[in-house]
Amino acid sequence: MQRVAVQPDDQRARNGRKAQRRAGRLRRGLVCAAAVPAVALFATACSSDSDAAAQGTGAGSDSSSAAGSTDTGGSSAASPGVQAAKYAKLPKPCAVLSKKTLTSLVPKGVKSGKEGTSDDVATRGSCSWSSLDSNGVKGSQFRWLNISFLRFDSDAGRGSGEKQAEAYYTSQVQGAQSVAGAKNTKSVPVSGAGDQATAVRYDLKKKEGAFKQQTVVARVANVVVTLDYNGAGLAGGKAPDADALTKAAQQAAAEAVASVTTANGAAPAPSSPAATPSKSASKSASPSPSPSKSSAKKS
């Protein structure tokens, strides 16, 4: 009868370390892949803004274009004949979502929030989170979430902050609707998230797996909030439910929009119930989260 070989303790330890290194490389690769689309979309938006700004109609992509002028008290200064911008501040991007919401969206990455670089935190800011839940032979669940804010001040040359924000909002929605390689793209209006909000979702096939992408773009007065959230079942893991991801992304976007009014000293409107994750995203929840463009999506 054949005997089962038993590995010495030191051999098992070496194998364990190798497995940990492989998991670490997978996580880093997925996070980098998820960030690519966000950068691509932002570059597209900035390019559109620059062209529009050259014509005196659009929102600029640098601090001077987007912010206009700000007085020493931090409130937007109106130019002669131009209505003053409503909001003068932005919230801290990594603090806009509650722990409960983050737990549902990125169950294994609540504390992974990484703030983006900004030369003017009163004008622009962003934060991203990633989650990789490995379930052995049952596969893994990956989630990536990014929230970005862009605020516009009123300017005599470019117009009111609100009009600039409207133009940028439109360009962000159009960018999310035209991602290369996207399949089954759907766009729906979103209520309860500022003055305008649209959710765009699609499927994106990448070498890491099949990703379900959700992008919610919302405008509240002179501030535009873009939330990207994507998820995928890897190594045999079940693909997340797109409807549940979209619902969760919309709820998180409404929470992010409410944080803008709170940061400026106003009481936020009643928010929707916190999103809950799908079974494929977390073992302890039922509804589901929603991510942003993965290996090649936009943000």
Side-chain angles (χ1 to χ4, degrees):
M1 181 173 64
Q2 184 179 6
R3 298 182 61 185
V4 178
V6 179
Q7 292 182 325
D9 290 343
D10 59 340
Q11 182 63 43
R12 286 197 296 269
R14 284 195 295 273
N15 290 342
R17 287 194 293 272
K18 290 180 180 177
Q20 290 176 345
R21 287 196 293 272
R22 285 195 297 271
R25 287 195 295 271
L26 173 61
R27 179 188 296 274
R28 289 192 294 274
L30 288 169
V31 171
C32 291
V36 169
V39 174
L41 180 54
F42 185 76
T44 301
C46 289
S47 175
S48 301
D49 292 341
S50 299
D51 293 342
Q55 302 171 23
T57 58
S61 61
D62 61 8
S63 299
S64 59
S65 310
S69 57
T70 306
D71 63 23
T72 54
S75 59
S76 303
S79 300
V82 181
Q83 182 180 6
K86 182 175 182 178
Y87 296 122
K89 301 177 182 178
L90 290 179
K92 294 182 178 180
C94 289
V96 298
L97 299 181
S98 67
K99 182 178 180 180
K100 183 176 181 180
T101 298
L102 284 173
T103 299
S104 75
L105 297 175
V106 284
K108 294 295 183 178
V110 174
K111 297 182 179 180
S112 68
K114 184 175 181 180
E115 187 169 348
T117 302
S118 174
D119 57 357
D120 183 358
V121 294
T123 299
R124 58 170 55 78
S126 66
C127 189
S128 62
W129 296 260
S130 64
S131 172
L132 180 61
D133 186 3
S134 179
N135 297 303
V137 296
K138 295 182 179 180
S140 301
Q141 287 296 321
F142 176 70
R143 299 289 184 272
W144 186 77
L145 169 67
N146 184 83
I147 299 178
S148 64
F149 297 84
L150 191 59
R151 186 184 66 81
F152 299 85
D153 275 341
S154 296
D155 179 88
R158 289 179 294 274
S160 70
E162 188 160 333
K163 288 297 183 183
Q164 295 177 65
E166 287 177 356
Y168 184 69
Y169 164 84
T170 299
S171 73
Q172 287 290 82
V173 173
Q174 292 175 342
Q177 293 171 331
S178 56
V179 177
K183 302 293 184 182
N184 305 316
T185 302
K186 295 181 180 179
S187 301
V188 296
V190 178
S191 60
D195 301 308
Q196 293 177 280
T198 299
V200 181
R201 84 184 203 192
Y202 54 84
D203 299 332
L204 196 62
K205 182 76 173 180
K206 290 298 170 181
K207 63 180 181 180
E208 295 86 0
F211 286 79
K212 301 289 185 179
Q213 168 67 32
Q214 325 293 317
T215 296
V216 181
V217 184
R219 180 187 67 82
V220 54
N222 59 311
V223 177
V224 176
V225 180
T226 303
L227 182 147
D228 281 303
Y229 181 50
N230 67 46
L234 307 178
K238 184 179 179 180
D241 180 72
D243 290 333
L245 293 181
T246 300
K247 181 179 179 181
Q250 292 176 359
Q251 293 173 344
E255 194 171 326
V257 167
S259 72
V260 174
T261 58
T262 300
N264 285 272
S271 59
S272 305
T276 34
S278 62
K279 293 179 180 179
S280 60
S282 170
K283 302 174 182 176
S284 61
S286 58
S288 111
S290 82
S292 119
K293 303 161 189 176
S294 89
S295 30
K297 42 181 185 318
K298 297 186 168 191
S299 141

